Amino acid sequence: MSEETTRPAGTAAPGPDEGAGTGTRTGTHELAGERTDTGARTGTPELAGERTDTGTRTGTPELAGERTDTGAGVVEATAAPTRRALLGWGGAGLALGAAAAGGTVAAVAAGGDRTAPAAATGAAVPFHGAHQAGIATAVQDRLHFASFDVKTRDRAELVRLLQDWTRAAESMTAGNTVGEGAYGGLAEAPPDDTGEALGLKPSRLTLTVGFGPSLFDARFGLRDRRPAALVELPKFAGDNLDPARSGGDLCVQACADDPQVAVHAIRQLARIGFGKVAVRWSQLGFGKTSSTTPEAQTPRNLMGFKDGTRNIAGTDLAALDKHVWVSRKDGPAWLAGGSYLVARRIRMNIETWDRTSLREQEDIFGRDKGEGAPVGRAKEHDEPFLPAMLPTAHVRLAHPDSNGGARMLRRGYSFTDGTDGLGRLDAGLFFLAYQRDVAHGFVPVQRSLAADDLNEYIQHVGSALYAIPPGVRDKDDWWGRALFS
């Protein structure tokens, strides 16, 4: 929602300032409808993770792609196609390759040059790499985010849990079941997998794990391993934070193009952790509000404005190194190759916004609502001329030039959680921003946004900060290994 930086709103919330193209919707209002090249939702069931004839979650590792690590965390997978895909593409021959830019996987039929985006092929995103997938990876369309409190006080038990989670994540992101699967095992015992993702494609599922400040207390001997930058966020003007929707020892971000695949993944990890961890809070998200693929259509937030126009691209290795990945000189050593994640639940006063004039809406953002062009410019990606905007415009306040060059990689999602009991939608933005150092990223931007006129229409009601460890290198590695070594 912000111009290049995160989208935090000074007071209560960040504003939207990137977005989708014209994106007309055809078909029905399925949660899993896939976007076409023109931005229209087709509602075709295949893209929604419809069960294939043979089912892709077989419990075998065939769908697991190998990571060709570019350092950007983009999709570079080679995934085995389903039987239906082989037949549907002619059966004569099929080559699946990775397009390093934009995280798309090309499906090429024999004798043709037609390609399809990864979302359409249901491809798997490689799990292993220098950085965790789900950060620089091309943003998927659905989210299930969960924060966990650790209940065990046994360090060895926590380590075992992280190892078990890692093995389960390797399997699920490849399109396979957990353990011995959802059926066929001992009839007298619960199956290892709950089964709701049977037959569904991997849907570019990524699972990203983080450690909250509270994990580094006296329970597990980690106090001296806590990063200096992992401090509780200060209170910002306009915050109205609900403790029940804030904080947590651990987090898992599950992103996929099929909502059932994302929910299934969080459900399996919660089951594996039963008795050792408990879900503190969770959030479902849809309609990504930021993009890491600038060549793609910019998404829109629930206020109708384009969101993520100037976001860091997943293929911009220099920007990722400068603004997203923690380096060895930043310290501590166990976090090198990782990042810091700020998660904020931002409630939008949708009904009030909907009664606001178009001119005022555009003045508040500093962009026009149609093209998404900055004030005084013609095109969305034109460089903003900040002095032409109101001093309280969101784009002006959030721009790196107004914040000492601060930038973040945003992966936010819209949410609707029913109504608030007074007939108003409980809706808004679940803001997710990855950065190298919170003190030089989210914090200064959010303080700058205290003067944002958008704060009349938004409020931050949930907040959390996590250290995101580096990626899992191979089958012998696991989430957080360097921390507990």
Side-chain angles (χ1 to χ4, degrees), residues 226-271:
R226 177 173 173 166
L230 188 64
V231 296
E232 297 292 348
L233 293 173
K235 181 174 176 58
F236 298 102
D239 275 1
N240 186 24
L241 304 181
D242 179 359
R245 286 186 176 271
S246 301
D249 294 329
L250 305 172
C251 77
V252 181
Q253 170 195 280
C255 297
D257 290 316
D258 185 332
Q260 187 149 317
V261 170
V263 171
H264 167 264
I266 293 295
R267 181 180 178 188
Q268 304 319 299
L269 298 185
R271 290 179 78 230

mmCIF file of all heavy atoms in Angstrom, residues 226-271:
data_model
loop_
_atom_site.group_PDB
_atom_site.id
_atom_site.type_symbol
_atom_site.label_atom_id
_atom_site.label_comp_id
_atom_site.label_asym_id
_atom_site.label_seq_id
_atom_site.Cartn_x
_atom_site.Cartn_y
_atom_site.Cartn_z
ATOM 1 N N ARG A 226 19.480 -14.034 20.554
ATOM 2 C CA ARG A 226 18.456 -13.133 20.011
ATOM 3 C C ARG A 226 19.102 -12.011 19.204
ATOM 4 O O ARG A 226 20.007 -11.325 19.677
ATOM 5 C CB ARG A 226 17.635 -12.535 21.151
ATOM 6 C CG ARG A 226 16.587 -11.519 20.714
ATOM 7 C CD ARG A 226 15.711 -11.117 21.886
ATOM 8 N NE ARG A 226 14.810 -10.028 21.570
ATOM 9 C CZ ARG A 226 13.775 -9.675 22.331
ATOM 10 N NH1 ARG A 226 13.534 -10.335 23.460
ATOM 11 N NH2 ARG A 226 12.998 -8.675 21.988
ATOM 12 N N PRO A 227 18.641 -11.786 17.974
ATOM 13 C CA PRO A 227 19.199 -10.696 17.162
ATOM 14 C C PRO A 227 18.901 -9.340 17.807
ATOM 15 O O PRO A 227 17.818 -9.121 18.358
ATOM 16 C CB PRO A 227 18.469 -10.835 15.823
ATOM 17 C CG PRO A 227 17.937 -12.234 15.814
ATOM 18 C CD PRO A 227 17.631 -12.567 17.236
ATOM 19 N N ALA A 228 19.855 -8.439 17.723
ATOM 20 C CA ALA A 228 19.664 -7.114 18.304
ATOM 21 C C ALA A 228 18.495 -6.383 17.648
ATOM 22 O O ALA A 228 17.821 -5.563 18.283
ATOM 23 C CB ALA A 228 20.945 -6.299 18.158
ATOM 24 N N ALA A 229 18.240 -6.666 16.378
ATOM 25 C CA ALA A 229 17.158 -6.000 15.649
ATOM 26 C C ALA A 229 15.782 -6.590 15.953
ATOM 27 O O ALA A 229 14.761 -6.001 15.564
ATOM 28 C CB ALA A 229 17.421 -6.068 14.143
ATOM 29 N N LEU A 230 15.743 -7.743 16.640
ATOM 30 C CA LEU A 230 14.454 -8.385 16.937
ATOM 31 C C LEU A 230 13.920 -7.852 18.257
ATOM 32 O O LEU A 230 14.000 -8.493 19.305
ATOM 33 C CB LEU A 230 14.617 -9.901 16.996
ATOM 34 C CG LEU A 230 13.315 -10.717 17.102
ATOM 35 C CD1 LEU A 230 12.459 -10.536 15.859
ATOM 36 C CD2 LEU A 230 13.620 -12.200 17.319
ATOM 37 N N VAL A 231 13.376 -6.656 18.201
ATOM 38 C CA VAL A 231 12.823 -6.005 19.388
ATOM 39 C C VAL A 231 11.338 -5.750 19.154
ATOM 40 O O VAL A 231 10.879 -5.678 18.011
ATOM 41 C CB VAL A 231 13.544 -4.672 19.682
ATOM 42 C CG1 VAL A 231 15.005 -4.935 20.021
ATOM 43 C CG2 VAL A 231 13.445 -3.716 18.496
ATOM 44 N N GLU A 232 10.598 -5.645 20.229
ATOM 45 C CA GLU A 232 9.171 -5.356 20.090
ATOM 46 C C GLU A 232 8.994 -4.021 19.369
ATOM 47 O O GLU A 232 9.706 -3.048 19.643
ATOM 48 C CB GLU A 232 8.500 -5.305 21.457
ATOM 49 C CG GLU A 232 8.542 -6.623 22.228
ATOM 50 C CD GLU A 232 7.693 -7.714 21.599
ATOM 51 O OE1 GLU A 232 6.888 -7.398 20.688
ATOM 52 O OE2 GLU A 232 7.826 -8.883 21.999
ATOM 53 N N LEU A 233 8.068 -3.971 18.440
ATOM 54 C CA LEU A 233 7.818 -2.737 17.711
ATOM 55 C C LEU A 233 7.301 -1.660 18.656
ATOM 56 O O LEU A 233 6.541 -1.954 19.589
ATOM 57 C CB LEU A 233 6.790 -2.970 16.601
ATOM 58 C CG LEU A 233 7.235 -3.877 15.448
ATOM 59 C CD1 LEU A 233 6.063 -4.153 14.515
ATOM 60 C CD2 LEU A 233 8.392 -3.254 14.680
ATOM 61 N N PRO A 234 7.685 -0.408 18.455
ATOM 62 C CA PRO A 234 7.164 0.667 19.304
ATOM 63 C C PRO A 234 5.683 0.890 19.031
ATOM 64 O O PRO A 234 5.148 0.443 18.001
ATOM 65 C CB PRO A 234 7.998 1.874 18.878
ATOM 66 C CG PRO A 234 8.381 1.576 17.454
ATOM 67 C CD PRO A 234 8.596 0.086 17.401
ATOM 68 N N LYS A 235 5.028 1.576 19.919
ATOM 69 C CA LYS A 235 3.621 1.925 19.697
ATOM 70 C C LYS A 235 3.571 3.100 18.731
ATOM 71 O O LYS A 235 4.259 4.099 18.911
ATOM 72 C CB LYS A 235 2.936 2.297 21.015
ATOM 73 C CG LYS A 235 1.456 2.651 20.844
ATOM 74 C CD LYS A 235 0.774 2.875 22.171
ATOM 75 C CE LYS A 235 -0.674 3.326 21.985
ATOM 76 N NZ LYS A 235 -1.469 2.357 21.206
ATOM 77 N N PHE A 236 2.765 2.961 17.698
ATOM 78 C CA PHE A 236 2.630 4.012 16.696
ATOM 79 C C PHE A 236 1.322 4.769 16.908
ATOM 80 O O PHE A 236 0.353 4.228 17.460
ATOM 81 C CB PHE A 236 2.655 3.416 15.288
ATOM 82 C CG PHE A 236 3.932 2.713 14.956
ATOM 83 C CD1 PHE A 236 4.009 1.322 14.981
ATOM 84 C CD2 PHE A 236 5.072 3.429 14.617
ATOM 85 C CE1 PHE A 236 5.179 0.663 14.677
ATOM 86 C CE2 PHE A 236 6.257 2.776 14.308
ATOM 87 C CZ PHE A 236 6.320 1.397 14.334
ATOM 88 N N ALA A 237 1.298 5.999 16.469
ATOM 89 C CA ALA A 237 0.101 6.827 16.598
ATOM 90 C C ALA A 237 -1.075 6.127 15.935
ATOM 91 O O ALA A 237 -0.977 5.655 14.805
ATOM 92 C CB ALA A 237 0.335 8.183 15.946
ATOM 93 N N GLY A 238 -2.196 6.044 16.664
ATOM 94 C CA GLY A 238 -3.402 5.455 16.105
ATOM 95 C C GLY A 238 -3.512 3.955 16.251
ATOM 96 O O GLY A 238 -4.529 3.371 15.886
ATOM 97 N N ASP A 239 -2.478 3.287 16.770
ATOM 98 C CA ASP A 239 -2.565 1.837 16.970
ATOM 99 C C ASP A 239 -3.704 1.486 17.921
ATOM 100 O O ASP A 239 -3.918 2.165 18.927
ATOM 101 C CB ASP A 239 -1.258 1.297 17.561
ATOM 102 C CG ASP A 239 -0.209 0.994 16.508
ATOM 103 O OD1 ASP A 239 -0.486 1.230 15.325
ATOM 104 O OD2 ASP A 239 0.888 0.529 16.880
ATOM 105 N N ASN A 240 -4.428 0.448 17.589
ATOM 106 C CA ASN A 240 -5.469 -0.081 18.469
ATOM 107 C C ASN A 240 -5.331 -1.598 18.461
ATOM 108 O O ASN A 240 -6.214 -2.320 18.035
ATOM 109 C CB ASN A 240 -6.854 0.350 17.994
ATOM 110 C CG ASN A 240 -7.955 -0.061 18.960
ATOM 111 O OD1 ASN A 240 -7.709 -0.271 20.154
ATOM 112 N ND2 ASN A 240 -9.170 -0.201 18.454
ATOM 113 N N LEU A 241 -4.190 -2.062 18.954
ATOM 114 C CA LEU A 241 -3.807 -3.464 18.794
ATOM 115 C C LEU A 241 -4.530 -4.392 19.765
ATOM 116 O O LEU A 241 -4.638 -4.103 20.952
ATOM 117 C CB LEU A 241 -2.293 -3.613 18.974
ATOM 118 C CG LEU A 241 -1.426 -2.755 18.055
ATOM 119 C CD1 LEU A 241 0.051 -3.010 18.331
ATOM 120 C CD2 LEU A 241 -1.747 -3.019 16.584
ATOM 121 N N ASP A 242 -4.998 -5.508 19.223
ATOM 122 C CA ASP A 242 -5.631 -6.552 20.018
ATOM 123 C C ASP A 242 -4.558 -7.575 20.388
ATOM 124 O O ASP A 242 -3.992 -8.222 19.500
ATOM 125 C CB ASP A 242 -6.734 -7.224 19.192
ATOM 126 C CG ASP A 242 -7.435 -8.351 19.926
ATOM 127 O OD1 ASP A 242 -7.064 -8.640 21.080
ATOM 128 O OD2 ASP A 242 -8.352 -8.948 19.332
ATOM 129 N N PRO A 243 -4.240 -7.735 21.673
ATOM 130 C CA PRO A 243 -3.202 -8.696 22.061
ATOM 131 C C PRO A 243 -3.478 -10.104 21.566
ATOM 132 O O PRO A 243 -2.537 -10.871 21.303
ATOM 133 C CB PRO A 243 -3.229 -8.641 23.596
ATOM 134 C CG PRO A 243 -3.800 -7.300 23.920
ATOM 135 C CD PRO A 243 -4.794 -7.022 22.831
ATOM 136 N N ALA A 244 -4.745 -10.462 21.420
ATOM 137 C CA ALA A 244 -5.097 -11.803 20.953
ATOM 138 C C ALA A 244 -4.775 -11.995 19.481
ATOM 139 O O ALA A 244 -4.728 -13.127 18.993
ATOM 140 C CB ALA A 244 -6.584 -12.070 21.196
ATOM 141 N N ARG A 245 -4.548 -10.910 18.751
ATOM 142 C CA ARG A 245 -4.196 -10.986 17.334
ATOM 143 C C ARG A 245 -2.782 -10.464 17.093
ATOM 144 O O ARG A 245 -2.468 -10.008 15.987
ATOM 145 C CB ARG A 245 -5.191 -10.178 16.492
ATOM 146 C CG ARG A 245 -6.551 -10.832 16.320
ATOM 147 C CD ARG A 245 -7.405 -10.022 15.349
ATOM 148 N NE ARG A 245 -8.688 -10.641 15.066
ATOM 149 C CZ ARG A 245 -8.913 -11.510 14.091
ATOM 150 N NH1 ARG A 245 -7.913 -11.880 13.311
ATOM 151 N NH2 ARG A 245 -10.107 -12.009 13.884
ATOM 152 N N SER A 246 -1.962 -10.501 18.098
ATOM 153 C CA SER A 246 -0.610 -9.958 17.982
ATOM 154 C C SER A 246 0.409 -10.925 18.574
ATOM 155 O O SER A 246 0.071 -11.767 19.410
ATOM 156 C CB SER A 246 -0.514 -8.606 18.713
ATOM 157 O OG SER A 246 -1.422 -7.662 18.188
ATOM 158 N N GLY A 247 1.672 -10.780 18.137
ATOM 159 C CA GLY A 247 2.765 -11.544 18.717
ATOM 160 C C GLY A 247 2.727 -13.018 18.384
ATOM 161 O O GLY A 247 2.024 -13.486 17.484
ATOM 162 N N GLY A 248 3.522 -13.779 19.130
ATOM 163 C CA GLY A 248 3.616 -15.219 18.932
ATOM 164 C C GLY A 248 5.057 -15.675 18.887
ATOM 165 O O GLY A 248 5.947 -14.954 18.429
ATOM 166 N N ASP A 249 5.326 -16.888 19.399
ATOM 167 C CA ASP A 249 6.681 -17.446 19.412
ATOM 168 C C ASP A 249 7.156 -17.852 18.015
ATOM 169 O O ASP A 249 8.321 -17.697 17.667
ATOM 170 C CB ASP A 249 6.740 -18.679 20.317
ATOM 171 C CG ASP A 249 6.497 -18.354 21.782
ATOM 172 O OD1 ASP A 249 6.855 -17.240 22.211
ATOM 173 O OD2 ASP A 249 5.937 -19.221 22.494
ATOM 174 N N LEU A 250 6.248 -18.432 17.234
ATOM 175 C CA LEU A 250 6.568 -18.925 15.895
ATOM 176 C C LEU A 250 5.505 -18.439 14.917
ATOM 177 O O LEU A 250 4.362 -18.164 15.313
ATOM 178 C CB LEU A 250 6.593 -20.463 15.849
ATOM 179 C CG LEU A 250 7.494 -21.216 16.822
ATOM 180 C CD1 LEU A 250 7.207 -22.713 16.728
ATOM 181 C CD2 LEU A 250 8.957 -20.941 16.520
ATOM 182 N N CYS A 251 5.862 -18.348 13.662
ATOM 183 C CA CYS A 251 4.853 -18.080 12.635
ATOM 184 C C CYS A 251 5.098 -18.977 11.453
ATOM 185 O O CYS A 251 6.228 -19.420 11.190
ATOM 186 C CB CYS A 251 4.865 -16.616 12.204
ATOM 187 S SG CYS A 251 6.216 -16.150 11.083
ATOM 188 N N VAL A 252 4.022 -19.281 10.731
ATOM 189 C CA VAL A 252 4.114 -19.993 9.460
ATOM 190 C C VAL A 252 3.242 -19.255 8.457
ATOM 191 O O VAL A 252 2.048 -19.035 8.692
ATOM 192 C CB VAL A 252 3.646 -21.461 9.556
ATOM 193 C CG1 VAL A 252 3.787 -22.137 8.196
ATOM 194 C CG2 VAL A 252 4.428 -22.220 10.612
ATOM 195 N N GLN A 253 3.842 -18.850 7.359
ATOM 196 C CA GLN A 253 3.123 -18.215 6.257
ATOM 197 C C GLN A 253 2.953 -19.250 5.154
ATOM 198 O O GLN A 253 3.934 -19.723 4.581
ATOM 199 C CB GLN A 253 3.915 -17.007 5.746
ATOM 200 C CG GLN A 253 3.377 -16.405 4.452
ATOM 201 C CD GLN A 253 4.376 -15.471 3.807
ATOM 202 O OE1 GLN A 253 4.518 -14.326 4.213
ATOM 203 N NE2 GLN A 253 5.102 -15.962 2.795
ATOM 204 N N ALA A 254 1.713 -19.618 4.873
ATOM 205 C CA ALA A 254 1.414 -20.555 3.786
ATOM 206 C C ALA A 254 0.767 -19.785 2.645
ATOM 207 O O ALA A 254 -0.291 -19.179 2.828
ATOM 208 C CB ALA A 254 0.489 -21.666 4.265
ATOM 209 N N CYS A 255 1.393 -19.779 1.481
ATOM 210 C CA CYS A 255 0.854 -19.112 0.302
ATOM 211 C C CYS A 255 0.673 -20.150 -0.803
ATOM 212 O O CYS A 255 1.516 -21.025 -0.993
ATOM 213 C CB CYS A 255 1.803 -18.019 -0.186
ATOM 214 S SG CYS A 255 2.069 -16.669 0.982
ATOM 215 N N ALA A 256 -0.426 -20.047 -1.540
ATOM 216 C CA ALA A 256 -0.700 -20.973 -2.635
ATOM 217 C C ALA A 256 -1.727 -20.339 -3.555
ATOM 218 O O ALA A 256 -2.386 -19.355 -3.192
ATOM 219 C CB ALA A 256 -1.214 -22.311 -2.101
ATOM 220 N N ASP A 257 -1.880 -20.897 -4.734
ATOM 221 C CA ASP A 257 -2.906 -20.417 -5.654
ATOM 222 C C ASP A 257 -4.250 -21.101 -5.423
ATOM 223 O O ASP A 257 -5.237 -20.737 -6.046
ATOM 224 C CB ASP A 257 -2.448 -20.622 -7.098
ATOM 225 C CG ASP A 257 -1.305 -19.695 -7.465
ATOM 226 O OD1 ASP A 257 -1.374 -18.498 -7.126
ATOM 227 O OD2 ASP A 257 -0.331 -20.165 -8.080
ATOM 228 N N ASP A 258 -4.289 -22.089 -4.562
ATOM 229 C CA ASP A 258 -5.525 -22.772 -4.168
ATOM 230 C C ASP A 258 -5.681 -22.593 -2.663
ATOM 231 O O ASP A 258 -4.809 -23.004 -1.896
ATOM 232 C CB ASP A 258 -5.429 -24.256 -4.523
ATOM 233 C CG ASP A 258 -6.726 -25.017 -4.264
ATOM 234 O OD1 ASP A 258 -7.498 -24.601 -3.374
ATOM 235 O OD2 ASP A 258 -6.967 -26.030 -4.944
ATOM 236 N N PRO A 259 -6.768 -21.989 -2.195
ATOM 237 C CA PRO A 259 -6.922 -21.758 -0.757
ATOM 238 C C PRO A 259 -6.941 -23.047 0.056
ATOM 239 O O PRO A 259 -6.470 -23.071 1.193
ATOM 240 C CB PRO A 259 -8.263 -21.007 -0.651
ATOM 241 C CG PRO A 259 -8.995 -21.336 -1.917
ATOM 242 C CD PRO A 259 -7.944 -21.497 -2.954
ATOM 243 N N GLN A 260 -7.470 -24.130 -0.517
ATOM 244 C CA GLN A 260 -7.535 -25.383 0.228
ATOM 245 C C GLN A 260 -6.149 -25.967 0.463
ATOM 246 O O GLN A 260 -5.888 -26.584 1.500
ATOM 247 C CB GLN A 260 -8.415 -26.400 -0.505
ATOM 248 C CG GLN A 260 -8.670 -27.665 0.297
ATOM 249 C CD GLN A 260 -10.020 -28.290 -0.004
ATOM 250 O OE1 GLN A 260 -11.013 -27.576 -0.111
ATOM 251 N NE2 GLN A 260 -10.063 -29.594 -0.121
ATOM 252 N N VAL A 261 -5.243 -25.748 -0.488
ATOM 253 C CA VAL A 261 -3.874 -26.228 -0.328
ATOM 254 C C VAL A 261 -3.178 -25.472 0.804
ATOM 255 O O VAL A 261 -2.473 -26.063 1.629
ATOM 256 C CB VAL A 261 -3.096 -26.080 -1.652
ATOM 257 C CG1 VAL A 261 -1.607 -26.345 -1.450
ATOM 258 C CG2 VAL A 261 -3.661 -27.018 -2.707
ATOM 259 N N ALA A 262 -3.395 -24.163 0.874
ATOM 260 C CA ALA A 262 -2.780 -23.365 1.935
ATOM 261 C C ALA A 262 -3.338 -23.737 3.308
ATOM 262 O O ALA A 262 -2.587 -23.900 4.282
ATOM 263 C CB ALA A 262 -2.995 -21.877 1.661
ATOM 264 N N VAL A 263 -4.641 -23.878 3.405
ATOM 265 C CA VAL A 263 -5.267 -24.230 4.680
ATOM 266 C C VAL A 263 -4.843 -25.625 5.119
ATOM 267 O O VAL A 263 -4.573 -25.873 6.300
ATOM 268 C CB VAL A 263 -6.801 -24.120 4.576
ATOM 269 C CG1 VAL A 263 -7.474 -24.690 5.818
ATOM 270 C CG2 VAL A 263 -7.214 -22.660 4.385
ATOM 271 N N HIS A 264 -4.779 -26.545 4.180
ATOM 272 C CA HIS A 264 -4.346 -27.907 4.488
ATOM 273 C C HIS A 264 -2.948 -27.904 5.098
ATOM 274 O O HIS A 264 -2.673 -28.605 6.073
ATOM 275 C CB HIS A 264 -4.363 -28.753 3.209
ATOM 276 C CG HIS A 264 -3.665 -30.070 3.327
ATOM 277 N ND1 HIS A 264 -2.348 -30.258 2.931
ATOM 278 C CD2 HIS A 264 -4.089 -31.287 3.786
ATOM 279 C CE1 HIS A 264 -1.992 -31.505 3.150
ATOM 280 N NE2 HIS A 264 -3.029 -32.159 3.658
ATOM 281 N N ALA A 265 -2.061 -27.092 4.544
ATOM 282 C CA ALA A 265 -0.681 -27.070 5.027
ATOM 283 C C ALA A 265 -0.603 -26.609 6.476
ATOM 284 O O ALA A 265 0.077 -27.231 7.309
ATOM 285 C CB ALA A 265 0.164 -26.157 4.134
ATOM 286 N N ILE A 266 -1.294 -25.528 6.806
ATOM 287 C CA ILE A 266 -1.287 -25.034 8.193
ATOM 288 C C ILE A 266 -1.928 -26.056 9.123
ATOM 289 O O ILE A 266 -1.451 -26.309 10.243
ATOM 290 C CB ILE A 266 -2.023 -23.685 8.298
ATOM 291 C CG1 ILE A 266 -1.254 -22.600 7.544
ATOM 292 C CG2 ILE A 266 -2.220 -23.289 9.752
ATOM 293 C CD1 ILE A 266 0.095 -22.263 8.116
ATOM 294 N N ARG A 267 -2.987 -26.701 8.652
ATOM 295 C CA ARG A 267 -3.672 -27.703 9.480
ATOM 296 C C ARG A 267 -2.745 -28.869 9.817
ATOM 297 O O ARG A 267 -2.723 -29.351 10.965
ATOM 298 C CB ARG A 267 -4.912 -28.207 8.738
ATOM 299 C CG ARG A 267 -5.715 -29.238 9.503
ATOM 300 C CD ARG A 267 -6.915 -29.686 8.686
ATOM 301 N NE ARG A 267 -7.689 -30.716 9.365
ATOM 302 C CZ ARG A 267 -8.691 -31.383 8.804
ATOM 303 N NH1 ARG A 267 -9.038 -31.107 7.553
ATOM 304 N NH2 ARG A 267 -9.348 -32.315 9.484
ATOM 305 N N GLN A 268 -1.943 -29.301 8.832
ATOM 306 C CA GLN A 268 -1.045 -30.439 9.093
ATOM 307 C C GLN A 268 0.042 -30.057 10.100
ATOM 308 O O GLN A 268 0.378 -30.842 10.994
ATOM 309 C CB GLN A 268 -0.383 -30.917 7.789
ATOM 310 C CG GLN A 268 -1.352 -31.291 6.684
ATOM 311 C CD GLN A 268 -2.568 -32.062 7.155
ATOM 312 O OE1 GLN A 268 -2.462 -33.152 7.699
ATOM 313 N NE2 GLN A 268 -3.751 -31.487 6.941
ATOM 314 N N LEU A 269 0.594 -28.852 9.973
ATOM 315 C CA LEU A 269 1.640 -28.428 10.904
ATOM 316 C C LEU A 269 1.078 -28.273 12.312
ATOM 317 O O LEU A 269 1.742 -28.612 13.302
ATOM 318 C CB LEU A 269 2.273 -27.124 10.421
ATOM 319 C CG LEU A 269 2.980 -27.189 9.057
ATOM 320 C CD1 LEU A 269 3.668 -25.869 8.748
ATOM 321 C CD2 LEU A 269 3.967 -28.340 8.992
ATOM 322 N N ALA A 270 -0.150 -27.767 12.425
ATOM 323 C CA ALA A 270 -0.778 -27.645 13.741
ATOM 324 C C ALA A 270 -1.011 -29.031 14.357
ATOM 325 O O ALA A 270 -0.825 -29.211 15.575
ATOM 326 C CB ALA A 270 -2.101 -26.883 13.631
ATOM 327 N N ARG A 271 -1.396 -30.000 13.551
ATOM 328 C CA ARG A 271 -1.605 -31.367 14.053
ATOM 329 C C ARG A 271 -0.296 -31.974 14.530
ATOM 330 O O ARG A 271 -0.230 -32.604 15.587
ATOM 331 C CB ARG A 271 -2.196 -32.259 12.962
ATOM 332 C CG ARG A 271 -3.627 -31.949 12.572
ATOM 333 C CD ARG A 271 -4.077 -32.891 11.459
ATOM 334 N NE ARG A 271 -4.412 -34.211 11.962
ATOM 335 C CZ ARG A 271 -3.967 -35.350 11.471
ATOM 336 N NH1 ARG A 271 -3.103 -35.350 10.472
ATOM 337 N NH2 ARG A 271 -4.332 -36.509 11.978
#
